[in-house]
Amino acid sequence: MRAMILAAGRGERMRPLTDSCPKPLLRAGGRALIEWQLLALRRAGFVDVVINHAHLGAMIEQALGDGSRWGLRIRYSPEREALETAGGIASALPLLGDGPFLVMAGDVHTDFDPARALTIGSQMRAAGLAAWCVLVDNPPHHADGDFALRDGRLVADAASRLTFSGIGVYRATLFDGVGAGTKAPLAPLLREAARCGVAGAEYHGGHWTDAGTPQRLAELDAQLMQQVQQRSGA
């Protein structure tokens, strides 16, 4: 299975930090946000990783290179302008292989184990699913959530909802209606897949942070630095 990290967003809420640095390269706990994800992917057994980029994309390629320092093979899907989530994934499909693939948002830090996606990929084939999403508790800045979870399936229309974590496993068929180079959001595709009964989901109750603002990034940095200090003193 191959993995994709979404790294093309402008990061407007992160300004002025992202005026001169792409959001995935912002640091927390002594590492770039995207490096935490690369390390997690390698520990989980992934080797091939695709990263899309637009805003200051050359800086991402320069910083990460071919991925060999992490034992990975990184390939890039450059976008002249950010194509939104579904558009970016659709444009990268030629790099993502024939089977289900894992996608992670580049500004998320979590203890979710990407190795779980390897099992889910096989289950998706057997169940005929086009998508599978990780849901988490609603953070204060997203109190209304996105989707509900019922019997292992994603539910679009429900009163009690959880937040989509930005982590999912997809098959190329989910993006059949999205042309390469076309801007398209992911949420409408997931809602339609949920209505058609071809979207699975599961709940992750562990650590998850959307480091989407300078304040949340600073909070994450403090948490991770504390963990580093505790490990050093152990």
Side-chain angles (χ1 to χ4, degrees):
M1 178 181 284
R2 298 179 183 179
M4 180 175 184
I5 300 177
L6 301 171
R10 176 66 173 79
E12 292 291 342
R13 293 176 300 168
M14 274 290 196
R15 298 187 68 183
L17 299 179
T18 51
D19 287 344
S20 57
C21 179
K23 184 165 55 172
L25 295 185
L26 295 175
R27 299 177 71 81
R31 300 183 187 275
L33 290 172
I34 200 169
E35 185 178 357
W36 289 104
Q37 296 183 334
L38 294 173
L39 289 167
L41 288 169
R42 188 65 190 96
R43 287 194 300 270
F46 286 83
V47 175
D48 292 293
V49 178
V50 176
I51 299 174
N52 70 331
H53 61 69
H55 174 63
L56 302 177
M59 292 180 64
I60 294 176
E61 293 201 23
Q62 183 177 14
L64 305 181
D66 63 3
S68 57
R69 80 190 75 168
W70 298 285
L72 298 169
R73 291 191 295 262
I74 295 178
R75 289 185 289 179
Y76 297 95
S77 180
E79 300 169 14
R80 183 168 297 178
E81 58 178 333
L83 298 175
E84 302 187 54
T85 303
I89 296 171
S91 289
L93 286 177
L95 303 175
L96 290 169
D98 297 328
F101 51 88
L102 171 66
V103 176
M104 305 177 71
D107 58 356
V108 162
H109 187 278
T110 181
D111 61 3
F112 174 79
D113 185 358
R116 174 76 181 125
L118 302 174
T119 300
I120 290 298
S122 298
Q123 295 175 349
M124 287 175 64
R125 292 188 184 95
L129 299 180
W132 169 83
C133 301
V134 178
L135 304 179
V136 297
D137 291 320
N138 298 333
H141 61 274
H142 195 63
D144 292 335
D146 301 299
F147 299 98
L149 173 62
R150 186 179 301 144
D151 298 326
R153 295 298 173 97
L154 196 70
V155 179
D157 302 315
S160 179
R161 295 186 294 187
L162 297 166
T163 289
F164 173 47
S165 67
I167 303 169
V169 179
Y170 311 117
R171 299 173 72 181
T173 53
L174 183 69
F175 307 93
D176 281 348
V178 182
T182 301
K183 287 186 178 182
L186 179 61
L189 301 185
L190 293 179
R191 285 194 290 268
E192 180 61 23
R195 281 191 285 267
C196 293
V198 293
E202 72 175 55
Y203 169 73
H204 175 64
H207 166 72
W208 177 86
T209 297
D210 166 17
T213 66
Q215 178 182 352
R216 297 204 296 270
L217 180 66
E219 292 170 354
L220 175 63
D221 181 51
Q223 293 169 6
L224 293 176
M225 291 306 296
Q226 183 178 29
Q227 292 174 11
V228 170
Q229 291 168 4
Q230 290 173 347
R231 286 195 297 269
S232 298

